[in-house]
Amino acid sequence: MTVVHSTLPEPARQVTGDALQETLVDLLGLSLVGKQAHWNIVGPRFRSIHLQLDEVVATARTYADTVAERAAALGVPPDGRPETVASAFGLTGAKEGWLHDTDVVRLMAESLETAIGRLRTRIDATEKADPVTQDLLIGLTAELEKQRWMFEAENWPRED
């Protein structure tokens, strides 16, 4: 049963709904990874990275709400239940315990890079299906790329 009827034809609604749901899971998971790291970071750059993690979490939470509301507006019920996020989450997660600042930077850069790659696939998928959703995903990608850049710059020069 659909409570809200979509303005999109069914095939476009399906593609768009899948893209939005996958993005919602990534964002909710990313906010949890960011908070876990925020609470457990240690090291000489504690304060600056601690605050930077709050920026990522705020971005993820704000966009999660926007993404979920976009899905609802299209007649797709968003699913942000913990069990859904836990079963579908595909980004790198934080390990248990204290996290050295260099490891946190690496973790966040990797998680953001994966999320961005997944978003770019969804941007392509929604190009014809729903340009409005595509625009939302493009804006989100720009924000996450900015955050990734800031984390990457923290660990320069790379220790590879």
Side-chain angles (χ1 to χ4, degrees):
M1 171 179 88
T2 301
V3 174
V4 177
H5 295 286
S6 180
T7 56
L8 298 176
E10 184 53 32
R13 186 182 83 77
Q14 184 65 47
V15 167
T16 303
D18 289 348
L20 289 167
Q21 179 59 39
E22 292 165 5
T23 302
L24 179 61
V25 167
D26 282 354
L27 290 170
L28 293 173
L30 185 63
S31 73
L32 293 172
V33 170
K35 268 304 179 188
Q36 182 68 20
H38 174 86
W39 296 322
N40 289 287
I41 188 171
V42 294
R45 297 179 293 164
F46 165 83
R47 177 114 173 107
S48 64
I49 296 171
H50 181 80
L51 296 173
Q52 189 175 350
L53 288 163
D54 272 340
E55 291 178 26
V56 172
V57 170
T59 297
R61 287 180 177 171
T62 297
Y63 269 94
D65 191 51
T66 302
V67 163
E69 289 175 353
R70 177 71 186 150
L74 295 175
V76 178
D79 188 353
R81 295 172 301 151
E83 58 271 23
T84 300
V85 175
S87 69
F89 187 64
L91 305 179
T92 304
K95 61 183 181 182
E96 185 179 350
W98 302 116
L99 302 168
H100 192 275
D101 56 7
T102 302
D103 295 333
V104 168
V105 168
R106 189 175 304 113
L107 165 69
M108 293 309 297
E110 289 173 8
S111 293
L112 288 162
E113 184 170 340
T114 301
I116 291 162
R118 292 164 59 103
L119 276 165
R120 289 190 173 281
T121 300
R122 295 176 201 136
I123 287 167
D124 290 343
T126 56
E127 179 180 14
K128 286 190 171 65
D130 183 24
V132 176
T133 295
Q134 182 193 43
D135 185 58
L136 170 62
L137 299 178
I138 289 169
L140 168 58
T141 301
E143 287 296 318
L144 294 184
E145 284 178 334
K146 176 180 145 189
Q147 291 296 332
R148 183 188 172 280
W149 157 59
M150 291 179 166
F151 279 108
E152 274 286 306
E154 284 280 349
N155 274 352
W156 189 88
R158 292 181 71 136
E159 300 170 7
D160 296 343

